[in-house]
Amino acid sequence: MPQAQRAAAQRAVRSSGKQTRLALLRAADEVFREHGERASVAQICERAQTFPNQVTYYFGSKEQLFVEVACAAVLRAGRHTEEAAADATTLGEYAGTLVRTLLGPERDGVQLFTTAMVLVSRRQDLRSFTGDTLRLLHERGEAALHRTLTRTGWQLRTSIEVEAKAFWSAIFGVAVQMSAIAPDVGYSLADSVAVVFAHLGIPDTMLDLPLSS
């Protein structure tokens, strides 16, 4: 086979492989949201129209596929949440929108990631996935918090790095509790906002601070 044809064939194989991997990620995101980490490889492959051995080929194991899906899901949740809070006019509205979005419409993605963190405690070979994701969440949180501070003059109790980590720690803690208890005895979104605000130490007197453009 001429070199040009071999190169074209190799590109076609790589493109096909990327498409298969992407199909598995998309299908797994849907199936894990529906059935949790106990979802089977067969369910995922049926949704993706692929074969079980392709999960092993592209991801090594169902556990790694789950962790990769969960990491991508929480990063999307964080991005969507910042977009939802972009038009807030006060500090209280901004912070409240962040919490209500992460623990409301984006809660599935957040809870997938909390499950992934527990899984990684038993599979330390997958730790880099959750570690890199947490670092990125914290970096984005620091950037968002810095933008908020410059718009309000809000004085933090500690460093901006610690506050960003405290925010996500509070979100993950509430998300775990929301998934672990019955809805009738659990947190409402209003309760969740109050808990996170208390965790962050945002004084009530600061909530009406306007966010200047």
Side-chain angles (χ1 to χ4, degrees):
M1 180 185 295
Q3 184 176 354
Q5 288 183 333
R6 287 200 300 272
Q10 290 170 353
R11 287 195 297 271
V13 169
R14 287 195 296 269
S15 177
S16 176
K18 289 179 181 178
Q19 291 302 315
T20 299
R21 195 178 196 281
L22 183 59
L24 284 166
L25 284 169
R26 288 173 173 167
D29 181 82
E30 295 174 1
V31 173
F32 284 135
R33 287 175 189 268
E34 294 169 9
H35 303 288
E37 66 174 318
R38 295 185 181 276
S40 69
V41 169
Q43 288 174 305
I44 295 167
C45 290
E46 181 180 3
R47 186 76 57 92
Q49 297 185 327
T50 59
F51 300 100
N53 65 338
Q54 290 175 306
V55 170
T56 304
Y57 180 80
Y58 289 107
F59 299 96
S61 65
K62 187 187 81 169
E63 290 76 16
Q64 180 173 328
L65 174 58
F66 179 83
V67 171
E68 289 197 39
V69 164
C71 289
V74 78
L75 290 174
R76 283 196 305 273
R79 185 173 65 253
H80 294 164
T81 297
E82 281 293 337
E83 292 169 356
D87 295 329
T89 58
T90 67
L91 176 60
E93 182 186 359
Y94 174 77
T97 299
L98 294 181
V99 178
R100 284 189 293 272
T101 304
L102 285 170
L103 297 175
E106 298 294 337
R107 187 173 71 182
D108 284 351
V110 174
Q111 289 180 334
L112 279 177
F113 188 69
T114 61
T115 302
M117 287 192 288
V118 174
L119 187 156
V120 166
S121 70
R122 306 189 299 268
R123 285 286 307 274
Q124 294 190 12
D125 57 306
L126 301 177
R127 182 174 290 179
S128 62
F129 292 101
T130 52
D132 290 344
T133 299
L134 280 170
R135 279 191 292 274
L136 188 51
L137 287 174
H138 294 157
E139 288 171 4
R140 291 179 178 177
E142 290 170 27
L145 188 52
H146 183 270
R147 290 193 298 270
T148 303
L149 290 176
T150 60
R151 296 169 68 190
T152 63
W154 175 29
Q155 297 298 311
L156 298 177
R157 303 166 299 168
T158 184
S159 71
I160 197 168
E161 294 87 354
V162 171
E163 292 287 1
K165 291 177 181 178
F167 172 79
W168 279 106
S169 293
I171 291 294
F172 292 142
V174 173
V176 168
Q177 292 179 71
M178 292 175 81
S179 66
I181 54 182
D184 57 338
V185 296
Y187 288 106
S188 66
L189 282 179
D191 292 335
S192 300
V193 172
V195 168
V196 175
F197 279 19
H199 191 80
L200 295 176
I202 303 177
D204 291 343
T205 56
M206 303 292 289
L207 298 180
D208 292 329
L209 280 177
L211 296 175
S212 59
S213 57

